[in-house]
Amino acid sequence: MDLLFKNVTAVTMDEDILSNVNVGITNGVISYIGSGEAPKAERVIDGEGKLLFPSLYNCHTHTPMSLLRGVGNDLALEDWLFNHIFPAEQRIKEVQNAVYTGAMLSIAEMISSGTTSFNDMYFGLPQVAKAALEAGVKANLSNGVISFNPEGYDYFSTADYEETLHVLTNYHNTSGGRIKAEVSLHCAYTTHPKAWQQCAEYASKNNLSMHVHLSETVTEHNKNIEQFGLTPAAAFSKYGVFDVPAVAAHACHVTEEDIDILAEHGVTVAHNPVSNLKLASGAAPITKMMAKGINIALGTDGMASNNTHDLFEEIKLASILHKYAEKDPTALPAKDVLKMATVNGARAQGRKGGQIKEGLDADLILIDFDSPRQVPCTDPAISLAYSTTGRDVVMTLCQGRILYENGEYKTIDIEKIIYDAKEISAKVV
Ligand SMILES: [Zn+2]
């Protein structure tokens, strides 16, 4: 046994909460869960005053956008996107190593706040893959196709396709399956039926998942109906976009029929409450979707609209937002939002994980439960949902490898990344 957490409290997301339990790791996999006399291990970590939890899944982000943290605040989405973000992103394309550095900065923040797996949508895909691979995290990677003109459009002669093919050929399912290539349409109204059909067919042929933005704002939702005579969900569905496993981010303005479409096709909805509230986009009808059996996961979205990757913020906000929206304090209880950040995220990404269970990858976080923020603790699940922040994470592991411990990064030269990020950001913003 390589590593053993001794006498720890474990919120397993599988069975009940286990107190004073020993959790062992061998070859990157959870190999032992038991109480009583602890087995021998290369390294033993005392779990006194700590809580062990599955590491978190961020199911919608744009990691290189950390370079644009704080750009274009307090604006409506269309103004924010077209007048501030797209021009800055044009400059990101022109600066060497910008995408890699932005991605690494985001990954560093995720690791330190408990996330080890994410769905990303951004150009410069091979640079994001390189960062994720080096940092030791898991990532489902795609670059969101944007094309306003269907005339002469051919996905297979675009940089989007070239990049996807590069990641598919060189990174897909390597390193114990940590990196996965996906296909992505930025949004229905920033693309067209030709792109929808070609991307859907390509994903289906290569067994790849899809990642899209869906009905984020009411303007976008209505524009789509005006332009194509269909809601974004109906349009994507008609052209096969949801015939493969798919993650749809936002879904704030979906109709009853759209919800049925998403449920029927097993589409995961990535709920991004911080971004949605900051841009005043709206709140997705999450409880309605859950009632129809839709898998709901959580995301942070990009750093220009959040502005942090701390998924514990999304956990708490998701719960209290829907209590408010439903005028029902029993809506989205702690256990449901914790499931969204773990079990449901793993399901969305096609990964066996999100639980502390023998045989699963040792993707784990250790949380300090002896801090003023956490004492006293009546129920660890309640504390996780409502008082924990990413700053309480003291150790992060992915596939049994320690990526972060007591403020120290084991796989990232954090001083260099912060220095480079400041330099590059000054050039692009
Ligand atoms: Zn997004």
Side-chain angles (χ1 to χ4, degrees):
M1 190 172 291
D2 303 318
L3 186 67
L4 183 86
F5 292 97
K6 198 176 166 186
N7 287 329
V8 76
T9 299
V11 176
T12 63
M13 300 308 290
D14 175 32
E15 292 170 12
D16 288 340
I17 295 163
L18 307 172
S19 302
N20 295 321
V21 72
N22 304 312
V23 177
I25 298 167
T26 310
N27 293 329
V29 171
I30 299 168
S31 57
Y32 175 84
I33 302 172
S35 47
E37 199 177 331
K40 286 199 170 27
E42 293 275 321
R43 184 178 170 193
V44 177
I45 293 166
D46 181 13
E48 178 79 37
K50 306 278 195 295
L51 187 137
L52 196 65
F53 192 57
S55 57
L56 310 179
Y57 287 77
N58 184 341
C59 287
H60 180 66
T61 186
H62 313 276
T63 51
M65 282 186 89
S66 56
L67 297 171
L68 307 182
R69 200 190 308 270
V71 170
N73 286 272
D74 308 331
L75 299 170
L77 184 125
E78 282 78 14
D79 181 15
W80 170 84
L81 188 63
F82 285 92
N83 300 324
H84 297 266
I85 300 304
F86 282 167
E89 288 187 325
Q90 210 38 54
R91 293 189 287 276
I92 287 181
K93 282 182 185 167
E94 289 153 15
V95 178
Q96 216 190 349
N97 271 339
V99 168
Y100 169 83
T101 303
M104 204 54 130
L105 183 69
S106 290
I107 293 169
E109 195 197 351
M110 282 195 250
I111 288 174
S112 71
S113 55
T115 294
T116 61
S117 196
F118 61 96
N119 289 72
D120 206 59
M121 183 200 287
Y122 216 68
F123 55 80
L125 202 51
Q127 290 189 57
V128 184
K130 185 172 174 274
L133 200 70
E134 286 175 12
V137 293
K138 297 179 174 177
N140 290 31
L141 304 175
S142 62
N143 50 1
V145 168
I146 296 177
S147 167
F148 292 98
N149 187 6
E151 214 165 302
Y153 178 83
D154 175 24
Y155 174 61
F156 301 100
S157 57
T158 62
D160 297 322
Y161 170 70
E162 287 300 322
E163 288 186 352
T164 305
L165 185 64
H166 181 92
V167 172
L168 185 62
T169 312
N170 297 289
Y171 295 94
H172 188 63
N173 285 338
T174 61
S175 301
R178 281 200 289 115
I179 311 295
K180 288 176 188 284
E182 295 189 337
V183 182
S184 168
L185 291 154
H186 176 266
C187 194
Y189 86 111
T190 51
T191 48
H192 43 70
K194 219 177 201 177
W196 308 340
Q197 190 166 1
Q198 289 182 358
C199 287
E201 281 173 7
Y202 179 67
S204 170
K205 207 172 133 203
N206 291 281
N207 289 321
L208 304 178
S209 301
M210 290 286 315
H211 187 182
V212 298
H213 288 118
L214 191 84
S215 298
E216 181 175 1
T217 66
V218 73
T219 314
E220 164 211 328
H221 182 85
N222 290 340
K223 220 181 216 176
N224 208 83
I225 297 170
E226 225 173 81
Q227 204 176 337
F228 303 111
L230 293 165
T231 64
F236 278 159
S237 163
K238 185 178 168 189
Y239 286 85
V241 173
F242 296 148
D243 290 350
V244 296
V247 170
H250 308 303
C252 299
H253 299 283
V254 287
T255 62
E256 297 281 346
E257 292 76 31
D258 291 342
I259 293 175
D260 288 337
I261 288 171
L262 299 175
E264 215 172 278
H265 288 84
V267 175
T268 289
V269 168
H271 183 36
N272 303 260
V274 173
S275 173
N276 294 157
L277 293 196
K278 187 166 182 255
L279 291 166
S281 302
I286 293 298
T287 50
K288 238 184 223 175
M289 292 178 188
M290 284 172 70
K292 292 270 171 114
I294 292 176
N295 187 48
I296 310 289
L298 295 175
T300 56
D301 211 354
M303 290 305 95
S305 64
N306 186 306
N307 303 5
T308 94
H309 273 112
D310 183 351
L311 209 73
F312 281 104
E313 283 191 3
E314 310 292 334
I315 289 172
K316 180 171 181 174
L317 186 56
S319 176
I320 59 180
L321 165 63
H322 296 285
K323 290 179 195 314
Y324 169 77
E326 306 282 328
K327 295 184 177 58
D328 175 7
T330 67
L332 282 204
K335 65 170 184 13
D336 284 357
V337 281
L338 293 178
K339 208 174 149 212
M340 288 176 188
T342 54
V343 178
N344 296 3
R347 193 173 146 202
Q349 294 184 5
R351 299 186 181 279
K352 268 198 273 172
Q355 293 174 310
I356 301 176
K357 195 173 174 181
E358 281 178 35
L360 292 186
D361 279 3
D363 299 344
L364 302 167
I365 51 177
L366 195 65
I367 296 166
D368 179 13
F369 254 49
D370 257 351
S371 75
R373 204 170 16 246
Q374 305 285 14
V375 173
C377 171
T378 54
D379 177 343
I382 296 293
S383 298
L384 277 168
Y386 303 131
S387 40
T388 301
T389 79
R391 287 183 288 277
D392 298 314
V393 173
V394 291
M395 185 182 275
T396 305
L397 299 93
C398 186
Q399 291 182 334
R401 182 182 184 194
I402 298 172
L403 306 182
Y404 177 83
E405 185 175 2
N406 296 322
E408 195 187 317
Y409 291 89
K410 305 289 187 184
T411 54
I412 299 174
D413 183 348
I414 194 66
E415 281 173 17
K416 181 177 177 356
I417 291 300
I418 286 177
Y419 178 85
D420 289 352
K422 285 180 182 170
E423 292 269 300
I424 294 170
S425 176
K427 283 183 200 161
V428 300
V429 173

